[in-house]
């Protein structure tokens, strides 16, 4: 059980590292004025998504699901856990949005001004805080 928690937290930490960094790359990409920089950002974004974020998300969700399967009646009866699941769904949606934005940039489309990406850069921070409150404080 302890090792399951270690691998789950490792996946969560690695996933959040990517979720924090990718929107920041989008800020720089949106402001890039030369082709060489834009091409470099495409490579960085794709590698971050495919090599770090996707495997980390799979690990976090997979090991979290294993935790749930060990004692589903206990976890699913607790409000804090259901709130955490809703926040994980939001994270998955944010990850999908990041993937969509990276695909737009990869084909040469700058979908939004950098100011919007700066705002979106705060989304995973807020979700992480809420997940921590749900998991540690368990207010529900």
């Amino acid at each position: 059980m302890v090792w399951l928690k270690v691998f789950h937290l490792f996946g969560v930490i690695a996933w959040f590292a990517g979720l924090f960094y990718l929107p920041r790359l989008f800020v720089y990409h949106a402001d890039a004025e030369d082709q060489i920089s834009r091409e470099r950002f495409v490579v960085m974004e794709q590698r971050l998504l495919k090599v770090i974020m996707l495997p980390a998300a799979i690990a976090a969700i997979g090991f979290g699901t294993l935790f749930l399967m060990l004692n589903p009646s206990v976890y699913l009866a607790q409000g804090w856990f259901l709130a955490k699941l809703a926040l994980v769904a939001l994270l998955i949606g944010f990850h999908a949005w990041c993937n969509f934005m990276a695909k737009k940039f990869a084909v040469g489309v700058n979908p939004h001004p950098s100011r919007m990406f700066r705002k979106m850069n705060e989304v995973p921070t807020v979700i992480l805080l809420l997940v921590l409150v749900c998991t540690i404080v368990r207010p529900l």
Side-chain angles (χ1 to χ4, degrees), residues 4 8 57-72 75 81 85 88:
L4 189 60
H8 174 64
I58 291 169
I61 294 166
F63 289 116
T65 300
L66 287 175
F67 247 115
L68 173 60
M69 291 170 54
L70 289 174
N71 210 342
Y75 285 118
F81 187 78
L85 288 180
V88 171

Side-chain angles (χ1 to χ4, degrees), residues 75-96:
Y75 285 118
L76 293 175
Q78 299 183 44
W80 70 267
F81 187 78
L82 297 175
K84 180 181 172 182
L85 288 180
L87 292 166
V88 171
L90 285 175
L91 279 178
I92 292 168
F94 185 75
H95 185 127

Side-chain angles (χ1 to χ4, degrees), residues 25 28-29 32 37-46:
L25 286 177
Y28 301 140
H29 194 157
S37 294
R38 287 191 290 268
E39 289 171 3
R40 183 179 309 121
F41 284 120
V42 167
V43 170
M44 292 171 70
E45 292 157 1
Q46 292 301 315

Side-chain angles (χ1 to χ4, degrees), residues 96-109:
W97 176 82
C98 286
N99 191 54
F100 181 74
M101 290 297 110
K103 286 181 179 180
K104 290 280 195 185
F105 275 124
V107 296
V109 175

Side-chain angles (χ1 to χ4, degrees), residues 12-28 48 52-53 91 94-95 97-98 117-130 132:
V12 169
I13 291 165
W15 190 19
F16 267 99
L19 290 170
F20 291 144
Y21 188 47
L22 188 56
R24 178 55 49 186
L25 286 177
F26 292 158
V27 170
Y28 301 140
L48 182 59
I52 296 173
M53 290 175 64
L91 279 178
F94 185 75
H95 185 127
W97 176 82
C98 286
F117 290 117
R118 286 184 210 290
K119 291 176 185 174
M120 293 306 288
N121 198 187
E122 304 308 319
V123 170
T125 304
V126 172
I127 294 174
L128 176 60
L129 177 61
L130 293 173
L132 290 173

